[in-house]
Amino acid sequence: EISCVTGVQTCALPILAVRLAAATALSYFTMKLLVDALDPTKKQKMAAQKRAKQLLSSLGISNDIKLSEYEMMIASQLVDPATITIQFKDIAGLEQLIGELKQTVILPIQKRELFSSSLMTAPKGVLLHGPPGCGKTMIAKATAREAGARFLNLDISSLTDKWYGESQKLAGAVFTLATKIQPCIIFIDEIDSLLRVRDQHDHEATAMIKAQFMQLWDGLATDTASGVLVMGATNRPRDVDKAILRRMPATFRIGLPSAEQRKAILTTVLRMEHVSEDVDTWRLAKLTEGFSGSDIRELCRSAAVGRVYLMTQDQNTLPPIAMDDLLNSLAKMRESKIDCGGALPRPPDLD
């Protein structure tokens, strides 16, 4: 009887083990489905991968190029150069800078066979710095369009993930993706927010992202045939880590426009508008000292919109933009900047 009981117990052990394993597996998959259902980023990741497939198809990238899950996430931020509407001719007052960019960046990308020497290759990093609203982002987009390179407008928030180690994999995917689809320009706006000066108070995940960036960036420098370029823009270049600045040897400062540059910007902005003959762009250029290119465009936009409020009910067409419209808009902008704590030089006259 004892042996019989023991035999029954022995036969029951495998069945119990199978039941326990099945229950454990069921609990695991149930919890996994529950976590996936509660994950707010799951839908975003699926949408990003769908968008990436559409972009890769529109860019004519071969299906033979296999991309990982992380590379697909980054690929959703690609921009087709053909869809970029900004050209160098739309950027006024920066002809010298544009000439230097064509010589140091665009030609080596377009004619890589002529620039195969290690001394003639395009720099692996370009930094655009200067006050806000002076055209840094516009120049980066126009450079991608003129060079015909794939443009990766990197969203810094896409590199952060709640799971440990995922951020580093995403940072690595930026460079592996760019290498697979080269020539490619990786553009990082406000680069100081991601690659700022390192210190002992940095979060571990942030420090590891920076280390990953610099490690893979050096890999680009050793490959002279690489067609990958990192372009950054910042208002605070002193906050960028020195190791990052070393990897960006081509540095261009884009300051506030001079009077001649402001006149060129005004002419460019107003060239497609119905403008009255009394508009004096040179006088406006003198009155807008301290204005950025973005401020000047807003000045013209405000003057153009202001015509609507001056129309009578009998009018069916907008009158041309007059000098008075621009001067009124200028006065309002100066007042608002002063209210916001801005400091602008006093205009010579507003008569």
Side-chain angles (χ1 to χ4, degrees), residues 65-86:
I65 299 177
K66 303 301 181 183
L67 301 181
S68 67
E69 176 187 353
Y70 301 100
E71 290 170 343
M72 289 293 287
M73 290 291 297
I74 301 299
S76 65
Q77 302 170 44
L78 280 169
V79 178
D80 187 351
T83 63
I84 299 176
T85 58
I86 299 172

Side-chain angles (χ1 to χ4, degrees), residues 249-264:
T251 303
F252 301 95
R253 186 181 188 280
I254 306 171
L256 291 173
S258 62
E260 291 80 5
Q261 291 172 325
R262 293 195 297 273
K263 182 180 184 301

Side-chain angles (χ1 to χ4, degrees), residues 16 19 28 43 52 57-58 68 72 127 130 134 172 177 226 230 260-261 308 319 321 347:
L16 184 61
R19 289 179 177 177
Y28 168 77
K43 291 183 178 180
S57 176
S58 65
S68 67
M72 289 293 287
L127 180 65
C134 292
L177 171 67
S226 175
V230 181
E260 291 80 5
Q261 291 172 325
V308 178
I321 300 175

Side-chain angles (χ1 to χ4, degrees), residues 9 13 53 58 69 77 123 141 143 223 249 280 310 336 342:
Q9 291 177 345
L13 285 176
K53 292 179 180 178
S58 65
E69 176 187 353
Q77 302 170 44
K141 291 181 178 180
T143 300
D223 183 7
D280 186 350
L310 299 177
S336 63

Side-chain angles (χ1 to χ4, degrees), residues 29-68:
F29 285 109
T30 302
M31 289 299 298
K32 188 176 185 301
L33 289 173
L34 182 61
V35 170
D36 289 343
L38 295 175
D39 187 0
T41 63
K42 186 174 180 63
K43 291 183 178 180
Q44 296 177 358
K45 291 179 180 179
M46 293 177 62
Q49 291 184 357
K50 183 178 179 181
R51 172 176 165 77
K53 292 179 180 178
Q54 294 174 348
L55 286 170
L56 293 171
S57 176
S58 65
L59 288 170
I61 297 174
S62 174
N63 293 328
D64 296 335
I65 299 177
K66 303 301 181 183
L67 301 181
S68 67

Side-chain angles (χ1 to χ4, degrees), residues 211-244:
Q212 184 83 339
F213 250 86
M214 288 185 283
Q215 179 184 359
L216 295 172
W217 206 334
D218 268 342
L220 295 179
T222 57
D223 183 7
T224 57
S226 175
V228 179
L229 169 70
V230 181
M231 181 175 285
T234 179
N235 305 325
R236 307 189 308 186
R238 294 183 180 179
D239 290 349
V240 181
D241 193 276
K242 291 183 179 179
I244 298 298

Side-chain angles (χ1 to χ4, degrees), residues 68-318:
S68 67
E69 176 187 353
Y70 301 100
E71 290 170 343
M72 289 293 287
M73 290 291 297
I74 301 299
S76 65
Q77 302 170 44
L78 280 169
V79 178
D80 187 351
T83 63
I84 299 176
T85 58
I86 299 172
Q87 304 180 47
F88 280 144
K89 66 180 183 180
D90 300 322
I91 303 174
L94 297 174
E95 288 76 12
Q96 182 178 354
L97 172 62
I98 291 172
E100 293 180 11
L101 281 173
K102 288 181 178 179
Q103 180 180 355
T104 60
V105 177
I106 295 178
L107 278 178
I109 290 177
Q110 291 179 336
K111 301 181 179 181
R112 296 168 66 182
E113 67 280 358
L114 299 178
F115 291 82
S116 57
S117 169
S118 60
L119 293 177
M120 297 180 65
T121 55
K124 300 306 177 186
V126 176
L127 180 65
L128 306 174
H129 65 95
C134 292
K136 298 183 290 296
T137 304
M138 289 180 62
I139 289 174
K141 291 181 178 180
T143 300
R145 176 185 171 90
E146 298 290 336
R150 279 74 184 255
F151 189 72
L152 182 56
N153 191 13
L154 188 61
D155 182 5
I156 297 174
S157 63
S158 66
L159 299 180
T160 57
D161 196 283
K162 62 182 179 181
W163 301 114
Y164 185 83
E166 293 295 293
S167 295
Q168 294 87 290
K169 294 177 181 178
L170 288 167
V174 172
F175 291 91
T176 56
L177 171 67
T179 302
K180 290 179 180 179
I181 63 171
Q182 60 180 300
C184 179
I185 294 177
I186 303 171
F187 179 63
I188 309 175
D189 202 3
E190 305 299 340
I191 192 173
D192 57 285
S193 62
L194 174 64
L195 302 174
R196 65 188 306 111
V197 177
R198 291 169 291 174
D199 57 34
Q200 59 183 355
H201 301 295
D202 278 352
H203 191 276
E204 182 181 0
T206 305
M208 294 181 72
I209 290 177
K210 294 177 183 177
Q212 184 83 339
F213 250 86
M214 288 185 283
Q215 179 184 359
L216 295 172
W217 206 334
D218 268 342
L220 295 179
T222 57
D223 183 7
T224 57
S226 175
V228 179
L229 169 70
V230 181
M231 181 175 285
T234 179
N235 305 325
R236 307 189 308 186
R238 294 183 180 179
D239 290 349
V240 181
D241 193 276
K242 291 183 179 179
I244 298 298
L245 293 176
R246 182 186 68 79
R247 290 165 171 80
M248 307 184 86
T251 303
F252 301 95
R253 186 181 188 280
I254 306 171
L256 291 173
S258 62
E260 291 80 5
Q261 291 172 325
R262 293 195 297 273
K263 182 180 184 301
I265 294 171
L266 284 164
T267 302
T268 302
V269 173
L270 295 173
R271 68 185 176 188
M272 300 300 293
E273 300 293 333
H274 186 198
V275 181
S276 175
E277 295 181 355
D278 67 338
V279 173
D280 186 350
T281 54
W282 181 243
R283 183 187 176 203
L284 286 170
K286 291 182 178 179
L287 295 174
T288 51
E289 184 178 355
F291 278 54
S292 66
S294 178
D295 292 334
I296 293 173
R297 188 185 186 285
E298 177 59 25
L299 165 68
C300 297
R301 190 202 66 82
S302 177
V305 173
R307 296 175 298 168
V308 178
Y309 301 103
L310 299 177
M311 289 178 59
T312 62
Q313 293 183 352
D314 298 334
Q315 287 181 295
N316 295 322
T317 58
L318 286 171

